[in-house]
Amino acid sequence: MKFLFDDDTFSFETVRTTGFANYFGADLGEVLATAHRIHDGDQGSWHREWKATAARVAELGERSLSAGHRITARENLLRASNYYRNAAAFLLDDPANNPEVAALYAAQIDTFAAATALFDHPAEAVSIPYQDTTLPGYLFFVDDSGVPRPTIIYTSGYDSTCQECYFVLAVAALRRGYNVLAFDGPGQGGALHLQKLVMRPDWEAVITPVVDYALTRREIAADKIALFGYSLGGFLAARAAAFEHRLAALILDDGIYDFHAAFAGSLPLFLGSWIDEGRDDVAVPVLTMIAAVNMQVRWGLRNGMWVFGADSFADLIRKARDYTLDGIAHQIVAPTLIMNGERDQFLKGQPQLVEKALTGATTTLVTLTESEVAGEHTPAGGLGRAHEAMFDWLDVTLAA
């Protein structure tokens, strides 16, 4: 299903952004107007027009706040934050050193922080101890009573941030009585942009300190902590749960058994042999040619080099081999919900592999379909249907 663009990647990112409309992250009219100004497949016009929309909506938020209209200001600032995130989606020429990428990220977090000060529910910016530094995040509370509540720890993925969590999960969770602890781990959000921490496969080294932190908070019920993995977070959360057993439940959105297989599946088989053999002198030029004509591959490779701290496209693909549940999946014991988008263009078949491998846990596989407009990856555009499945399952699981 294409939405406003023929290019698959533009279509998906537009669905992703628009899908947050239910949770104050977008307005359909703004999306339509912005998309109308973008040339299909033109990354420069994508950046320019989404940035312009974000800046205009942020200015409306600031005006509303100055005039004392708190709700209007909050809603404008939330949408602006999401639009700033989207504006940077394809700025992948040396993003670690690109001042425009840094400016858009700063605008995303600034508008979101301004919005949180206007929430009707408490939201607290937190710093979670991690090795010799801290990880940035947010604690979203149902209320200010301090009563220990079931809490979902949110771990994001390949290109998302803890601010995006508010639209992906937090609003829906708060409505149902769940607190949410969202954070940026290595390779994500502030940890990547500001601290230059790159992705690591042994995510238990990240989640265990986060759980340790959660257990210091009186607002969090220690025996009702669930872990949610978004996109690549579907692998990261599962990997962590194989070693961290203080979790009452696990939600994988989507399930990923072997990220390398999912990644390499979009490339010719001979390339895999060249990369394994270290023949980068021939592999990298071919990867570069493929990336030049295939935007999805181009985006995946260029973003991955930044996130994984890879030296080349070939180095990235080799690093991805460590992102597998092979040999450890049986160690997961928490009841697990595995989400599967019928039309997932990135992870086809991976959720089924996870379900088969989790022999030590009670598993539930939920397939969301294109006919429900929920068959995309994560499932973009169908969050209402996804939340129905997730939270109805979680209510029953934690009650048990």
Side-chain angles (χ1 to χ4, degrees):
M1 182 181 297
K2 298 292 182 67
F3 181 60
L4 299 180
F5 296 101
D6 288 330
D7 180 87
D8 283 336
T9 309
F10 271 33
S11 173
F12 174 77
E13 293 299 337
T14 306
V15 168
R16 173 181 174 181
T17 293
T18 310
F20 299 151
N22 284 354
Y23 303 107
F24 316 112
D27 179 88
L28 179 58
E30 290 168 349
V31 171
L32 292 172
T34 305
H36 182 70
R37 301 193 303 268
I38 295 172
H39 302 295
D40 204 347
D42 182 342
Q43 297 175 356
S45 65
W46 177 281
H47 160 236
R48 181 179 63 251
E49 298 305 335
W50 278 112
K51 180 182 178 181
T53 296
R56 181 184 63 79
V57 176
E59 183 179 359
L60 290 175
E62 292 164 4
R63 288 183 193 172
S64 298
L65 185 58
S66 297
H69 305 301
R70 291 172 57 88
I71 294 175
T72 305
R74 178 179 70 209
E75 294 180 354
N76 281 323
L77 291 166
L78 284 172
R79 297 199 313 281
S81 178
N82 185 33
Y83 297 156
Y84 277 125
R85 176 199 59 77
N86 201 27
F90 301 107
L91 291 179
L92 295 174
D93 289 327
D94 191 19
N97 300 299
N98 187 331
E100 180 65 4
V101 171
L104 290 170
Y105 178 70
Q108 179 196 166
I109 62 174
D110 288 348
T111 48
F112 187 82
T116 63
L118 305 171
F119 283 172
D120 295 327
H121 58 83
E124 178 184 337
V126 299
S127 296
I128 300 171
Y130 168 73
Q131 296 186 345
D132 58 354
T133 184
T134 59
L135 301 175
Y138 273 96
L139 248 173
F140 302 106
F141 300 107
V142 174
D143 56 36
D144 59 2
S145 67
V147 172
R149 293 186 181 275
T151 299
I152 303 171
I153 294 174
Y154 173 97
T155 191
S156 57
Y158 201 60
D159 68 330
S160 46
T161 67
C162 65
Q163 288 77 20
E164 190 181 5
C165 167
Y166 190 71
F167 314 115
V168 171
L169 187 76
V171 177
L174 294 169
R175 290 173 177 175
R176 293 166 169 86
Y178 295 94
N179 296 329
V180 175
L181 172 58
F183 72 97
D184 289 327
Q188 302 168 336
L192 177 64
H193 283 266
L194 305 178
Q195 297 169 270
K196 311 302 182 184
L197 300 177
V198 297
M199 186 65 69
R200 58 186 298 172
D202 55 339
W203 206 248
E204 66 276 11
V206 179
I207 286 298
T208 289
V210 175
V211 174
D212 289 343
Y213 172 79
L215 294 176
T216 69
R217 300 298 303 240
R218 66 186 180 92
E219 307 94 340
I220 295 176
D223 61 340
K224 287 183 168 53
I225 295 176
L227 178 60
F228 174 91
Y230 178 61
S231 194
L232 178 58
F235 164 78
L236 300 173
R239 162 77 197 212
F243 300 91
E244 174 53 73
H245 293 156
R246 292 174 290 179
L247 304 170
L250 178 64
I251 300 175
L252 309 177
D253 182 26
D254 296 336
I256 305 176
Y257 180 79
D258 187 332
F259 181 61
H260 175 268
F263 200 114
S266 60
L267 302 173
L269 290 177
F270 70 86
L271 270 177
S273 298
W274 287 355
I275 292 166
D276 289 345
E277 295 164 4
R279 299 180 61 190
D280 292 10
D281 58 324
V282 289
V284 170
V286 173
L287 286 167
T288 301
M289 286 190 291
I290 294 172
V293 299
N294 186 314
M295 185 178 297
Q296 182 171 308
V297 171
R298 180 164 68 251
W299 178 87
L301 291 173
R302 293 168 73 193
N303 187 68
M305 281 187 61
W306 180 34
V307 168
F308 280 60
D311 297 326
S312 68
F313 290 163
D315 182 43
L316 165 64
I317 293 171
R318 281 191 292 269
K319 286 181 182 296
R321 288 199 177 278
D322 293 332
Y323 292 74
T324 178
L325 297 179
D326 187 35
I328 61 171
H330 66 281
Q331 298 173 201
I332 297 172
V333 296
T336 303
L337 176 67
I338 305 162
M339 304 297 289
N340 173 48
E342 179 184 50
R343 191 189 175 274
D344 193 320
Q345 67 269 46
F346 304 110
L347 302 173
K348 194 73 171 177
Q350 289 286 317
Q352 290 83 355
L353 293 176
V354 174
E355 180 189 34
K356 183 178 179 180
L358 266 60
T359 57
T362 302
T363 60
T364 302
L365 177 69
V366 172
T367 297
L368 301 180
T369 66
E370 191 167 1
S371 63
E372 300 173 284
V373 199
E376 298 279 350
H377 178 60
T378 61
L383 286 179
R385 174 69 184 92
H387 289 151
E388 172 190 326
M390 290 177 195
F391 289 109
D392 290 359
W393 176 87
L394 189 59
D395 288 346
V396 172
T397 299
L398 293 188

